[in-house]
Amino acid sequence: MSDEILVGVFGAPHGVRGEIRVKSYTQDPLSLADYDGLHDGAGRAFEIAAARPLKDDLLVVRVKNVNDRDAAQALTHTKLYVPREKLPPTEEDEFYTRDLIGLRAETEDGALLGTIVAVPNYGAGDILEVAPPAGETLLYPFTRAVVPTVDVKGGRVIVIPPAETE
């Protein structure tokens, strides 16, 4: 699934007629409804018949062939992917979060911290999970202050580790 980009995740049902909430990871949340090829990790295809904003990056959608609350409930927590070729190309300083996986994380002076293995978001912003050459993974907030440089073509990011507190 390396050519697949995570673009959203189904949340809880909304009402009793089969509508469901979706957290969109796209730059314009409503553009999620325009993508052809939405599917889950198991290959089930989904077609969004209608979408409206709820707040921020949350939408309420009607999915084709999902007609009641039980069917919508069954989709809760389902991740939505799109084949990369269906998405627009990135601009000069843009990238998809998926592009960060596998990049080297280095300090400003070039010392290797490790390799990025995940970019989770637990609600307070994206985090870079870095696997060092030895030991447990390291977590860094994915902010411009901590990660001032993202060089996808060069295969690396520069990380300025936050100062340790005593």
Side-chain angles (χ1 to χ4, degrees):
M1 181 137 48
S2 63
D3 275 358
E4 305 296 316
I5 304 292
L6 178 66
V7 293
V9 63
F10 285 127
H14 187 83
V16 296
R17 295 194 173 126
E19 289 185 317
I20 188 167
R21 294 179 183 137
V22 176
K23 179 173 179 61
S24 176
Y25 300 130
T26 58
Q27 187 172 11
D28 170 13
L30 276 174
S31 69
L32 181 73
D34 298 330
Y35 290 129
D36 181 33
L38 281 174
H39 63 278
D40 66 6
R44 282 187 303 173
F46 300 99
E47 183 180 334
I48 296 179
R52 65 181 189 275
L54 184 61
K55 69 173 200 163
D56 300 327
D57 54 3
L58 295 177
L59 306 173
V60 174
V61 301
R62 178 169 301 285
V63 178
K64 190 174 182 181
N65 299 322
V66 175
N67 301 313
D68 61 38
R69 185 175 182 84
D70 291 339
Q73 180 69 44
L75 296 176
T76 300
H77 303 299
T78 299
K79 294 179 179 177
L80 297 170
Y81 298 91
V82 171
R84 186 182 192 107
E85 66 269 9
K86 302 275 186 175
L87 296 172
T90 57
E91 297 292 328
E92 179 68 29
D93 288 330
E94 290 182 328
F95 52 86
Y96 291 111
T97 303
R98 170 71 185 92
D99 296 337
L100 300 175
I101 309 300
L103 297 185
R104 293 181 321 277
E106 303 175 351
T107 63
E108 287 180 295
D109 60 4
L112 179 67
L113 295 171
T115 303
I116 298 172
V117 294
V119 186
N121 183 323
Y122 300 109
D126 291 335
I127 298 171
L128 292 184
E129 184 174 346
V130 177
E136 295 184 21
T137 60
L138 307 168
L139 301 175
Y140 298 103
F142 189 37
T143 63
R144 183 143 329 256
V146 176
V147 186
T149 304
V150 175
D151 181 7
V152 174
K153 289 180 183 172
R156 69 186 186 126
V157 299
I158 302 296
V159 176
I160 301 172
E164 293 186 28
T165 58
E166 295 183 40

